[in-house]
């Protein structure tokens, strides 16, 4: 879509709400107050965005489970979201069997007209702010980041993503931080642990974390959930502490499990690749090829194995991969 055909909005910037993981029943080790707790957080974020004249954007994973969420949650969300109509980037938890389709809870909100779903990669908004114009694009889960972005001089460019990006604590992730020609910002969801903003050439890469504490560990206890604010001209995101209850009130009173390895998440890209293969299966071979091409690092030793599995599952010819 060309810049001239985009919707244009007047606002002071973006209010970024990363990974709420809403659910009607408590996931992991969260206590039974979970649904009301997270709804209250989302409500506080939307109210703050409205007070500050900012466009609210959910950076993916609005839901923890993609479908069959209770009607009580869906009704509460429709009433909460209707006055604000935030943009919602499709995250991996918003899709069922790796697809965003009409049988997902996010699609219900879309049909109700209370959200603007970002389900496809590309530009979606031109923002006119007191500190200058901005051009906004997005890449939902499983879609590639742009190779470059074209914009008029003086226009700040921002791309929203829900990806495994190699931030300092997660250098094993498969999307490497690099300069993207013409792009000023990549602002990422998906990785729940907040990361320092990294600059590569012109492009700043930011990862604000998430507003919901899911894991029962010491790091979650020490972290304060926060949303983030972006405006043209800022050197870094501004963080807005989200009102939240004490850790001891939302998690069980018991010892912490053994500490996680310092390298971060235990699941490797190899296992993640196997999971994607299991989800997509033969009938989605073309989409899977695009996903693997965008996310597999040719230099990693497990990449040839993943491509071999891809060919086995999809019956693709040997030349049908870039490895």
């Amino acid at each position: 879509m060309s810049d001239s055909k985009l919707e244009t909005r007047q606002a002071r910037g973006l209010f970024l709400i990363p990974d709420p993981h809403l659910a009607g029943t408590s996931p992991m080790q969260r206590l039974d107050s979970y649904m009301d707790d997270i709804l209250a957080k989302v409500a506080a974020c939307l109210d703050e965005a409205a007070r500050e004249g900012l466009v609210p954007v959910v950076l993916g994973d609005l839901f923890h489970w993609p479908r069959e969420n209770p009607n009580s949650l869906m009704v509460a969300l429709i009433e909460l979201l209707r006055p604000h109509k935030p943009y919602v980037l499709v995250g991996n938890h918003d899709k069922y069997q790796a697809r965003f389709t009409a049988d997902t809870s996010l699609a219900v909100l879309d049909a109700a007209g209370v959200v603007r779903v970002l389900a496809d990669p590309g530009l979606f908004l031109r923002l006119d702010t007191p500190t200058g114009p901005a051009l906004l694009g997005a890449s939902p889960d499983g879609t590639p980041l742009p190779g470059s972005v074209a914009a008029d001089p003086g226009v700040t460019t921002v791309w929203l993503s829900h990806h495994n990006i190699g931030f300092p604590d997660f250098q094993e992730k498969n999307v490497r931080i690099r300069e993207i020609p013409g792009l000023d910002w990549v602002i990422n969801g998906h990785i729940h642990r907040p990361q320092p903003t990294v600059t590569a050439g012109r492009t700043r890469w930011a990862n604000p974390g998430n507003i919901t504490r899911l894991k029962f560990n010491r790091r979650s206890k020490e972290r304060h959930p926060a949303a983030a604010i972006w405006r043209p001209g800022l050197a870094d995101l501004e963080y807005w502490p989200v009102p939240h209850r004490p850790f001891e009130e939302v998690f069980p009173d018991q010892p912490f499990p053994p500490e996680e390895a310092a390298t971060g998440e235990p699941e490797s890209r190899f296992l993640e690749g196997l999971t994607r293969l299991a989800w997509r299966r033969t009938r989605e071979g073309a989409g899977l090829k695009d996903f693997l091409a965008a996310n597999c690092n040719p230099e990693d030793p497990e990449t040839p194995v993943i491509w071999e599995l891809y060919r086995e599952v999809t019956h693709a010819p040997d030349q049908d991969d870039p490895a």
Side-chain angles (χ1 to χ4, degrees):
M1 181 184 296
S2 68
D3 186 355
S4 62
K5 296 180 181 179
L6 293 177
E7 177 190 5
T8 299
R9 294 183 64 174
Q10 307 284 332
R12 296 177 63 191
L14 302 177
F15 192 93
L16 304 157
I17 307 169
D19 294 53
H21 283 263
L22 277 157
T25 55
S26 305
M28 304 177 78
Q29 289 178 281
R30 286 290 298 247
L31 300 182
D32 291 341
S33 61
Y34 183 83
M35 185 179 90
D36 291 338
D37 290 342
I38 310 309
L39 282 171
K41 288 183 177 184
V42 173
C45 289
L46 293 172
D47 288 344
E48 181 67 12
R51 277 192 296 269
E52 294 297 320
L54 301 165
V55 175
V57 180
V58 177
L59 290 176
D61 290 353
L62 177 62
F63 290 97
H64 187 71
W65 288 293
R67 61 178 192 168
E68 299 178 356
N69 287 290
N71 288 341
S72 57
L73 173 59
M74 299 304 295
V75 170
L77 270 175
I78 289 171
E79 293 176 349
L80 172 61
L81 298 171
R82 183 181 288 116
H84 305 277
K85 201 171 182 181
Y87 291 93
V88 179
L89 185 64
V90 174
N92 55 306
H93 280 257
D94 298 314
K95 302 190 295 186
Y96 180 67
Q97 292 186 337
R99 295 183 301 159
F100 175 63
T101 54
D103 62 351
T104 60
S105 294
L106 183 54
V108 174
L109 298 181
D110 188 30
V114 298
V115 295
R116 298 175 174 90
V117 174
L118 303 175
D120 299 305
L123 297 171
F124 69 92
L125 182 66
R126 181 182 175 90
L127 199 63
D128 285 341
T129 83
T131 52
L135 190 62
L136 308 181
S139 289
D141 173 69
T143 66
L145 292 170
S148 63
V149 177
D152 294 333
V155 177
T156 304
T157 52
V158 181
W159 210 268
L160 311 177
S161 63
H162 193 87
H163 287 47
N164 281 321
I165 292 173
F167 285 97
D169 289 346
F170 299 91
Q171 293 187 17
E172 80 285 357
K173 297 296 186 182
N174 48 19
V175 179
R176 287 178 288 184
I177 289 177
R178 64 197 185 280
E179 180 176 14
I180 298 177
L183 185 57
D184 296 304
W185 285 88
V186 176
I187 305 177
N188 190 55
H190 188 56
I191 296 176
H192 292 179
R193 190 188 309 173
Q195 295 294 293
T197 297
V198 178
T199 301
R202 169 177 175 166
T203 310
R204 290 186 176 97
W205 297 69
N207 189 93
N210 69 335
I211 66 167
T212 300
R213 295 163 294 179
L214 287 170
K215 291 187 177 181
F216 179 65
N217 58 25
R218 196 171 304 279
R219 184 179 288 114
S220 289
K221 183 176 182 179
E222 295 171 350
R223 184 166 70 86
H224 299 288
I229 294 169
W230 175 87
R231 298 184 183 94
L234 289 179
D236 203 350
L237 300 179
E238 295 177 356
Y239 286 89
W240 186 76
V242 178
H244 59 280
R245 296 171 62 198
F247 183 87
E248 293 78 10
E249 293 183 9
V250 298
F251 282 102
D253 182 14
Q254 64 187 46
F256 288 121
E259 291 293 326
E260 298 172 347
T263 54
E265 297 178 0
E267 187 175 48
S268 71
R269 286 195 300 281
F270 174 70
L271 293 179
E272 185 174 343
L274 289 178
T275 302
R276 295 279 181 173
L277 286 170
W279 281 347
R280 299 212 172 195
R281 298 189 183 276
T282 306
R283 61 191 173 88
E284 294 194 58
L288 178 56
K289 178 189 174 185
D290 292 340
F291 169 81
L292 292 177
N295 291 279
C296 285
N297 184 348
E299 299 175 3
D300 291 340
E302 65 265 29
T303 294
V305 179
I306 293 175
W307 279 112
E308 182 179 349
L309 288 169
Y310 159 79
R311 291 191 296 271
E312 180 180 339
V313 170
T314 63
H315 307 292
D318 288 348
Q319 66 270 22
D320 196 25
D321 69 76

